[in-house]
Amino acid sequence: MSNPDGQSTDVSELSPEQRLEPPNTRLLNAGIVTINDMETLRECVAYENANQQRIPILRRLKGRANEIRTEDD
């Protein structure tokens, strides 16, 4: 992923705000799909609850949590 300066950004270093407030919905989907651990997911849920409280986004995060749990089994 590139930032405006043209430098690549490690997706694991994205903040919840960067994941959940991108300029378009394709990047929003990518931000959620690339969450690979429960700690990051919890941070994103907390961010969403404290800010936008968008039900569709919270549902996507819940779905991703289920996927992560399944992968860990």
Side-chain angles (χ1 to χ4, degrees), residues 6-65:
Q7 300 172 340
S8 66
T9 302
D10 184 357
V11 73
S12 65
E13 295 177 4
L14 293 176
S15 71
E17 181 178 10
Q18 290 171 312
R19 288 182 185 277
L20 301 176
E21 300 292 339
N24 67 56
T25 56
R26 286 184 11 197
L27 291 176
L28 175 65
N29 292 335
I32 292 173
V33 169
T34 57
I35 296 172
N36 293 317
D37 60 271
M38 292 303 287
E39 180 181 344
T40 301
L41 187 114
R42 286 184 193 105
E43 290 172 0
C44 289
V45 170
Y47 175 84
E48 188 63 25
N49 282 330
N51 293 283
Q52 299 285 341
Q53 298 181 348
R54 297 170 289 188
I55 300 301
I57 302 305
L58 291 169
R59 284 188 185 133
R60 287 185 194 165
L61 291 168
K62 181 180 179 181
R64 185 63 188 132

